[in-house]
Amino acid sequence: MDTILVTGGCGFIGSNFIRYVLKNTNNYRIVNVDKLTYAGNLKNLAGLKGDPRYCFYKGDICNYELLSFIIEKENVTSIINFAAESHVDRSILSPQEFIRTNVIGTDVLLEITRRFGLKKFIQISTDEVYGSLEQTGKFIESTPLSPNSPYSASKASADLLVRAYNHTYNLPTIITRCSNNYGPYQFPEKLIPLMIINAINEKPLPVYGDGMNIRDWIYVEDHCAAILAIYEEGKIGEVYNIGAENEMPNIEIVKLILKELGKNESLITFVKDRPGHDRRYAIDATKIKTELGWKPRYEFKEALKKTINWYIENQTWWQEIISGEYKKYYKKWYEER
Ligand code: NAD
Ligand code: TDX
């Protein structure tokens, strides 16, 4: 049985990925290493208690000694790196932790892969490394990197290190670049869960700028299926874009959420724009579709409904979050702009 070290498995996509793999396969053991930052939550994986194919270590991906210990003790064969500081707005407030985890942390994991001769290293990157598009065109894998925020610059830096380790040391690496995800367990600082929760609570829905920035949305389970396909069949040294061809202006999503919850559009509040706000992202996912036969299964409106229902049914999960540290961050974000 293959043992995969998943980093950042207590966050949004990592926890969905671990659940997806253990539910749909019987070939893997998963060792999850997560620092449990504000975004990491053990409750995201509470259902796995007692599953012999899963174990957890609290730890930092910058800690070379700890990772070496875990690799040997657990007979790890490969790494999938989800661990990151992931929120653009937080990176604008303070970039340092983004450089540490996203750049130095990735470098430590590459060194570990090299030292132990692991058979695969998958870097979970993002479409944001390509920068911003005008009204037409899509990102392909060879689009030049042109990151605009401290977050995307840190992710692009990590991608360059992965590329260099592959080229220089022949390290068996693959990079994935996915568009915006939504679904269960997403931390309520991101657009969709924040708007759902504010709408449920009848609080203002803060839309940045004119609300016409476009993102390309994919349901998290479709992203997880793509990562597993890439892990199993992807070509070493390659980059794969992942996306579901679902471009939407932010304001349209906010209106859909209000409609689904039966709330009034008067809750929409246009607020000061995010500094350096990227205008449009759009992913061309032809390569993964033609080479690996992957395709998204979920239709946007249905999966958004499913997501809204999850937040309605799991209020304790997010109530604990919005009454904690998050409150301080939110106050700071609005005070400092
Ligand atoms: P998240 O913020 O929900 O989770 C990140 C996880 O990483 C948390 O559990 C956190 O505790 C952990 N972590 C942070 N620093 C760490 C460190 N130094 N050592 C160990 N663990 C650490 O993020 P997410 O939305 O699940 O994103 C996961 C990955 O996917 C990230 O690499 C992100 O760049 C990428 N990505 C996200 C999206 C999206 O729409 N959310 C889209 C494309 C790519
Ligand atoms: O309160 C808000 N109001 C608003 O208008 C928030 C939080 C966001 N927005 C806008 C900004 C963006 O145009 O909504 C859009 C989506 O914002 P986020 O959910 O913060 O995502 P984004 O900045 O696009 O980045 C996300 O997708 C790519 C993830 O956070 C990244 O980790 C991923 O790499």
Side-chain angles (χ1 to χ4, degrees):
M1 200 183 261
D2 222 3
T3 300
I4 307 175
L5 177 74
V6 166
T7 67
C10 296
F12 165 49
I13 305 174
S15 63
N16 276 286
F17 179 76
I18 293 173
R19 220 174 301 106
Y20 181 85
V21 170
L22 296 181
K23 190 172 157 211
N24 293 290
T25 74
N26 226 337
N27 321 334
Y28 303 110
R29 269 185 76 230
I30 305 273
V31 178
N32 174 13
V33 174
D34 195 296
K35 188 180 172 184
L36 298 180
T37 67
Y38 79 92
N41 188 344
L42 284 173
K43 290 188 180 148
N44 295 1
L45 288 168
L48 297 184
K49 248 194 190 141
D51 190 325
R53 296 170 302 163
Y54 171 74
C55 73
F56 171 69
Y57 288 84
K58 182 172 191 280
D60 190 326
I61 58 165
C62 299
N63 187 338
Y64 183 87
E65 285 72 32
L66 175 70
L67 288 163
S68 301
F69 167 81
I70 294 170
I71 299 286
E72 285 192 314
K73 177 156 189 296
E74 301 291 347
N75 285 318
V76 168
T77 44
S78 41
I79 297 179
I80 306 184
N81 181 28
F82 292 86
E85 287 295 333
S86 69
H87 189 37
V88 174
D89 294 341
R90 286 185 191 251
S91 83
I92 294 167
L93 279 179
S94 46
Q96 287 71 29
E97 201 52 30
F98 286 72
I99 310 305
R100 208 186 79 87
T101 289
N102 300 2
V103 185
I104 299 173
T106 302
D107 183 61
V108 169
L109 293 172
L110 289 165
E111 276 299 329
I112 290 281
T113 304
R114 188 156 85 99
R115 170 174 172 194
F116 291 95
L118 301 184
K119 74 171 199 211
K120 250 174 229 179
F121 178 89
I122 313 286
Q123 173 70 358
I124 307 301
S125 185
T126 165
D127 62 356
E128 297 202 17
V129 297
Y130 297 123
S132 185
L133 291 165
E134 303 294 332
Q135 286 312 306
T136 56
K138 290 187 178 204
F139 300 131
I140 56 172
E141 285 81 358
S142 57
T143 300
L145 303 192
S146 188
N148 289 317
S149 70
Y151 163 71
S152 52
S154 70
K155 293 294 289 186
S157 307
D159 285 12
L160 293 179
L161 283 169
V162 175
R163 180 193 147 86
Y165 271 74
N166 170 262
H167 191 79
T168 309
Y169 306 113
N170 245 331
L171 224 64
T173 64
I174 301 177
I175 296 172
T176 71
R177 296 190 182 133
C178 188
S179 59
N180 284 60
N181 285 222
Y182 64 98
Y185 298 101
Q186 186 166 29
F187 197 85
E189 64 193 353
K190 308 283 164 57
L191 180 77
I192 289 184
L194 175 75
M195 297 298 166
I196 296 172
I197 289 170
N198 282 16
I200 292 174
N201 289 333
E202 305 213 335
K203 290 206 165 138
L205 273 55
V207 174
Y208 299 163
D210 62 3
M212 290 308 291
N213 298 69
I214 291 172
R215 296 293 182 267
D216 191 354
W217 295 93
I218 183 170
Y219 189 59
V220 64
E221 198 178 309
D222 280 332
H223 185 190
C224 294
I227 295 168
L228 185 59
I230 288 165
Y231 177 79
E232 291 182 337
E233 309 282 347
K235 218 170 130 204
I236 296 300
E238 295 285 311
V239 175
Y240 291 91
N241 280 350
I242 305 167
E245 283 181 70
N246 187 64
E247 290 180 55
M248 299 270 276
N250 296 334
I251 189 70
E252 248 183 64
I253 294 190
V254 171
K255 285 183 180 169
L256 278 175
I257 292 171
L258 286 169
K259 190 164 170 227
E260 185 58 33
L261 287 166
K263 304 285 182 182
N264 203 297
E265 286 190 8
S266 60
L267 286 172
I268 296 174
T269 315
F270 288 94
V271 298
K272 196 169 160 194
D273 209 354
R274 170 188 280 173
H277 198 174
D278 284 340
R279 194 62 176 170
R280 175 172 167 260
Y281 302 147
I283 275 277
D284 182 333
T286 307
K287 179 173 172 179
I288 184 176
K289 286 180 182 163
T290 52
E291 287 186 15
L292 305 184
W294 170 88
K295 62 175 190 307
R297 289 183 46 227
Y298 289 89
E299 189 274 323
F300 181 70
K301 281 192 185 156
E302 279 309 304
L304 181 65
K305 238 186 231 177
K306 205 170 145 75
T307 304
I308 293 172
N309 286 336
W310 187 87
Y311 282 88
I312 292 173
E313 284 158 16
N314 290 275
Q315 301 213 8
T316 337
W317 182 85
W318 54 261
Q319 291 286 6
E320 277 174 20
I321 294 170
I322 63 172
S323 57
E325 182 267 355
Y326 177 62
K327 240 183 175 165
K328 275 188 258 162
Y329 149 73
Y330 210 61
K331 197 161 167 267
K332 195 167 178 235
W333 172 240
Y334 280 99
E335 273 172 8
E336 289 195 5
R337 291 187 322 141

